[in-house]
Amino acid sequence: MTTAALIVAAGRGTRAGGDVPKQWQIVAGRMVAEHTVARFADHPKVGPIVLVLHPDDMELADRFPSVICVPGGATRDQSVSEGLNALIETPPARVLIHDVARPCISDRIISEVIAALDTSPGAAPALAVTDALWRGENGEVTGTQDREGLYRAQTPQGFRFADIVAAHRAHPGGAADDVEVARAAGLTVAITEGDEQNIKITTPGDFARAENILRGQMDIRTGQGYDVHAFEEGDHVVLCGVKIPHTKKLKGHSDADVGMHALTDAIYGALADGDIGQHFPPSDLQWKGAESDIFLRHAVSRATDRGYAIANVDVTLICERPKIGPHAASMREALAGIMGVDIDRVSVKATTSERLGFTGREEGIASMAVATLIKE
Ligand code: MG
């Protein structure tokens, strides 16, 4: 049974401050709307996703290649209707309607709303009001309000698709949310457990709260790698994927790319996933003379399979010769290409060891690397 997500991002709200509408402001490294879309895109039970944009924002649709982007209407009701229309040709069984300004939505809330739709035509998260409630005027308390039975409504609000389409068509407009539209059509709406972190960005201070929540939910990992290969008779070395003419070559089972090996181990290290020798045992003849990009590609795929992106890597080569500087740009390009990341996330630098030790005596080359992985 398919469950679509319909994210309403057509508002022009200015209460949150800033030069652009709140959904396009940056929080925790990306636009509010990108966080919100990613939460639904990453949920295993959700798809397709419809994003309703303000007609003036349609050029931003390019940022959401796997999302159906449609222009919204003058009111929230109309925007939701436009989003529902975009799904009518291939109707999903259920639809979750969500405010773009709630980027901290959790997997749990989404799962619970979907599950509740098995037994109810509508379901939405909410939190029971726990604070005392007052009425006030001119800065003074004028009365109290019983909080019994009062809830703070959140989104996503989920419905069986055909029901909510019919409810929107029958509604005269002006509803506060989709639960109001559903109830006007006689649909029962179950209350699921909301979350204090599922905040709606409304005022300028909410950006800082959202930033803290989103950063706190990120899983950031760092790994280090170290490798050494000795020189032997030869006429070139391969370092970070680049072949460099030299008076010796590096000795090793594979192409002996010491820089790429250190980097590969750094990624395995960040994943707590063993090391290069464990994944590619030197005793296994099939890796003899292998090009080291096989190892690096493997480590990167282990990371992406687990939902991590490469935030940045930094490789240091330690040798007197060959000179690395003239080749560093090609090395960065080669590594970035293999890992599928932008070149500005890849650093390759070099140092000598002032003629001290085995690298100083030009008996071999050492390399150190650090990799940072991030899962949002
Ligand atoms: Mg090695």
Side-chain angles (χ1 to χ4, degrees), residues 227-229 261:
D227 196 28
V228 172
H229 281 263
H261 293 181

Side-chain angles (χ1 to χ4, degrees), residues 23-317:
Q23 61 268 35
W24 308 124
Q25 295 196 36
I26 303 292
V27 171
R30 63 213 285 217
M31 288 175 173
V32 169
E34 291 176 315
H35 283 290
T36 308
V37 167
R39 292 301 168 107
F40 287 91
D42 290 346
H43 193 288
K45 289 191 173 167
V46 176
I49 297 173
V50 174
L51 182 63
V52 185
L53 299 172
H54 190 278
D56 294 346
D57 291 343
M58 286 307 290
E59 79 274 13
L60 286 157
D62 292 349
R63 300 187 74 99
F64 304 94
S66 56
V67 170
I68 305 162
C69 291
V70 297
T75 64
R76 188 182 183 286
D77 295 342
Q78 289 167 14
S79 292
V80 171
S81 293
E82 294 300 334
L84 293 171
N85 285 339
L87 290 164
I88 274 174
E89 235 171 78
T90 319
R94 300 167 291 215
V95 61
L96 307 179
I97 304 173
H98 188 68
D99 290 331
V100 72
R102 293 187 190 269
C104 308
I105 176 71
S106 68
D107 267 10
R108 178 193 59 80
I109 290 188
I110 295 171
S111 297
E112 289 181 6
V113 171
I114 293 173
L117 292 176
D118 288 346
T119 52
S120 173
L127 289 167
V129 172
T130 52
D131 293 326
L133 293 177
W134 298 336
R135 281 185 296 276
E137 213 177 295
N138 303 325
E140 285 179 11
V141 177
T142 57
T144 56
Q145 171 73 48
D146 184 6
R147 66 182 174 233
E148 183 64 30
L150 292 184
Y151 287 85
R152 290 187 282 143
Q154 299 189 336
T155 69
Q157 300 181 346
F159 307 94
R160 294 176 189 160
F161 184 73
D163 289 346
I164 195 67
V165 168
H168 265 279
R169 283 184 181 158
H171 199 274
D177 64 8
D178 300 288
V179 165
E180 187 177 332
V181 173
R183 292 194 69 258
L187 300 175
T188 304
V189 179
I191 299 173
T192 63
E193 186 67 30
D195 188 337
E196 288 292 354
Q197 296 204 325
N198 184 22
I199 61 168
K200 182 176 184 179
I201 295 176
T202 308
T203 62
D206 293 335
F207 285 102
R209 287 180 67 203
E211 175 101 17
N212 280 339
I213 294 167
L214 292 167
R215 293 257 179 228
Q217 289 169 347
M218 283 181 183
D219 183 359
I220 299 172
R221 291 161 164 248
T222 299
Q224 63 166 346
Y226 176 73
D227 196 28
V228 172
H229 281 263
F231 281 125
E232 64 180 8
E233 287 293 301
D235 62 3
H236 74 277
V237 292
V238 178
L239 293 172
C240 296
V242 175
K243 188 174 169 180
I244 303 170
H246 191 50
T247 52
K248 300 166 183 172
K249 76 185 267 286
L250 288 171
K251 184 178 169 182
H253 194 70
S254 63
D255 63 9
D257 188 334
V258 64
M260 208 180 288
H261 293 181
L263 173 56
T264 303
D265 263 350
I267 296 171
Y268 289 135
L271 295 169
D273 188 20
D275 59 36
I276 203 167
Q278 216 169 301
H279 293 287
F280 300 94
S283 55
D284 189 336
L285 288 179
Q286 66 170 312
W287 311 123
K288 191 164 168 55
E291 292 190 15
S292 297
D293 66 308
I294 296 170
F295 311 149
L296 181 56
R297 283 181 210 280
H298 178 262
V300 171
S301 75
R302 299 283 281 195
T304 48
D305 286 353
R306 286 168 55 180
Y308 290 95
I310 311 274
N312 77 301
V313 303
D314 181 20
V315 180
T316 302
L317 295 162

